[in-house]
Amino acid sequence: MLVDSRLVAMSHDAGYEIAIMMDTMRLKGGSVAATKQSKASTTARPTLNDVGRLAGVSAQTVSRFLTGASYVGAEAGERIQQAIDALGYRPNRLARGLQNGRSDMVGVLTAAPLNYGAAETLAGLSAAAHAADVTLITGHLDVDDPQWSDAGRILERFLSMRVDGIVVSARIEGLESLLQQTVRNEVPVLAITGRPVPGTANAGADSYAAGLLVMEHLLSLGHQRIAFLAGPRESTESQERERAYFDAMATAGGTVLPIMIGGGWTGAAGYEAGLRADFSAFTAVYAADDELALGFSAAARSRGLSAPGDFSLVGIDDMPQSRYFAPPLTTARMDFDALGRRAFGALRELIDSGGGDHVVVTPKLVIRESTSAPSSVSLSAAKQSTA
């Protein structure tokens, strides 16, 4: 084992010098590497040569030990590891990438706003990348309407950093053309979106299926006058959830009502919609996500109304707070963390073998206290509204 070794950072006019103070430093089972060196100056960052010198082996042997390219004896390997620990050596991943053609870096393009689904998906991507010892480089479009030029600059930056692949988790009109003009098949690309993008690998949560789940639940309870509270009109996720509303109502023969426009994925947007809503027109509300449902419920309470007595309320996502709403919200669970993890796995498969399946995360209905059969009061109000 290494005995009595210290690293001392000594200030100099032009920078810093690392001085290694060693008193009878020895390696277990090996030769004395240095004896009473009061001041052995090295570079700020130890090199392979430094590790090899301390371990009593060549730099090539240290390289083979780190990469596993060929066999290194157990005793030599132990000395190398001890030297690495003593010097605080960190392998140069960029140099290793030049050798094996991999940077072990993946670019991720995201866009504002990062709502619950986007944030959880990014967390899943990050966790999967960490487990695979891959670095994520995130480029964020901090605008509500991402532009080609902004996205193009971020993609070009990714390519200049020699990323192994790119994940696009942002709504960008004409994404297929943008990728053809910038990436040009240099690296694999996977798009996380509510609707598949032609010409690239895709991953997404099934928003249409989620919408059908909550709609079929409301219809099974006897609701025929159901209002839909939409998210951002340009969002493919909101569009798919709206399509589920129309299809379910057409199948059941229910009364299609004018769409309530939320305009965003926020509680504030839902609250504003709730203040404007005509509660006599419906017996149930299907909100495009849980945050919209939360805001809508708060606005209803401010008007002396509440679910499920005056109307039933459902959302989509099953964000952790949904179970603590007043009342707890019936919703469709979307496992965005799993979406991120599986999307990363699909991209790695594209990088490794050039193939991979389209990733689809299926939703699950979670029934809580915000839904019930239409009350006689809400039915009467809805009938009067149509009279």
Side-chain angles (χ1 to χ4, degrees):
M1 57 182 295
L2 291 174
V3 181
D4 193 20
S5 62
R6 294 172 292 162
L7 292 180
V8 181
M10 303 178 63
S11 176
H12 273 245
D13 292 339
Y16 290 95
E17 176 184 337
I18 300 298
I20 303 177
M21 312 296 293
M22 303 184 214
D23 291 317
T24 318
M25 176 178 283
R26 291 180 295 175
L27 295 176
K28 179 182 178 183
S31 60
V32 175
T35 302
K36 292 188 177 180
Q37 283 186 279
S38 60
K39 190 175 180 181
S41 298
T42 67
T43 59
R45 292 181 179 177
T47 66
L48 284 177
N49 287 329
D50 298 325
V51 174
R53 190 178 302 114
L54 186 56
V57 299
S58 67
Q60 290 79 5
T61 300
V62 177
S63 178
R64 292 200 304 271
F65 172 78
L66 292 171
T67 62
S70 61
Y71 175 75
V72 174
E75 183 180 331
E78 187 175 355
R79 294 203 311 275
I80 292 170
Q81 188 60 59
Q82 290 171 3
I84 287 172
D85 295 340
L87 294 172
Y89 173 77
R90 293 183 179 88
N92 188 329
R93 300 187 68 156
L94 292 177
R96 186 175 67 184
L98 292 174
Q99 293 178 341
N100 61 20
R102 294 283 183 86
S103 66
D104 289 331
M105 294 189 295
V106 166
V108 181
L109 175 60
T110 64
L114 278 180
N115 59 6
Y116 167 72
E120 282 294 293
T121 301
L122 185 57
L125 278 167
S126 180
H130 178 74
D133 197 24
V134 169
T135 300
L136 289 188
I137 304 171
T138 304
H140 187 67
L141 294 171
D142 195 20
V143 290
D144 292 328
D145 184 22
Q147 300 296 314
W148 261 45
S149 58
D150 300 323
R153 279 196 296 270
I154 292 175
L155 293 173
E156 291 287 359
R157 191 172 300 129
F158 287 162
L159 294 173
S160 70
M161 299 177 75
R162 299 295 189 266
V163 296
D164 297 326
I166 295 173
V167 174
V168 178
S169 183
R171 180 191 58 80
I172 302 172
E173 291 297 327
L175 177 59
E176 182 182 8
S177 298
L178 175 62
L179 293 174
Q180 288 174 350
Q181 293 184 26
T182 55
V183 180
R184 294 182 294 275
N185 297 320
E186 288 184 35
V187 297
V189 177
L190 182 139
I192 299 179
T193 178
R195 189 177 297 148
V197 177
T200 187
N202 291 272
D206 196 336
S207 287
Y208 178 76
L212 289 181
L213 278 178
V214 295
M215 281 296 298
E216 289 167 358
H217 171 66
L218 291 174
L219 290 165
S220 72
L221 292 173
H223 294 279
Q224 288 293 306
R225 297 186 63 80
I226 302 170
F228 177 64
L229 173 55
R233 301 303 288 166
E234 70 279 1
S235 164
T236 55
E237 288 82 1
S238 185
Q239 292 166 12
E240 288 297 287
R241 295 170 192 187
E242 182 176 326
R243 184 166 70 91
Y245 167 77
F246 284 110
D247 287 354
M249 292 298 274
T251 300
T255 302
V256 174
L257 300 176
I259 301 300
M260 293 190 290
I261 305 300
W265 295 117
T266 65
Y271 188 86
E272 291 299 320
L275 293 179
R276 299 189 303 265
D278 177 7
F279 281 81
S280 67
F282 51 78
T283 64
V285 173
Y286 157 32
D289 83 338
D290 292 352
E291 291 210 44
L292 285 168
L294 171 62
F296 190 90
S297 180
R301 287 198 303 274
S302 74
R303 298 174 62 179
L305 302 167
S306 62
D310 298 299
F311 64 98
S312 284
L313 179 64
V314 298
I316 289 179
D317 285 348
D318 192 29
M319 55 191 294
Q321 300 92 322
S322 298
R323 68 188 66 188
Y324 305 114
F325 285 9
L329 184 68
T330 294
T331 184
R333 177 177 298 154
M334 308 285 265
D335 194 341
F336 292 109
D337 181 81
L339 172 60
R341 292 172 185 270
R342 290 180 58 189
F344 180 82
L347 181 65
R348 282 300 296 272
E349 191 172 346
L350 282 169
I351 294 169
D352 293 339
S353 64
D357 295 329
H358 175 57
V359 174
V360 179
V361 174
T362 56
K364 177 183 178 182
L365 181 66
V366 180
I367 300 175
R368 299 194 180 104
E369 289 93 55
S370 66
T371 53
S372 67
S375 67
S376 57
V377 174
S378 62
L379 281 172
S380 175
K383 289 179 181 178
Q384 292 177 12
S385 173
T386 58

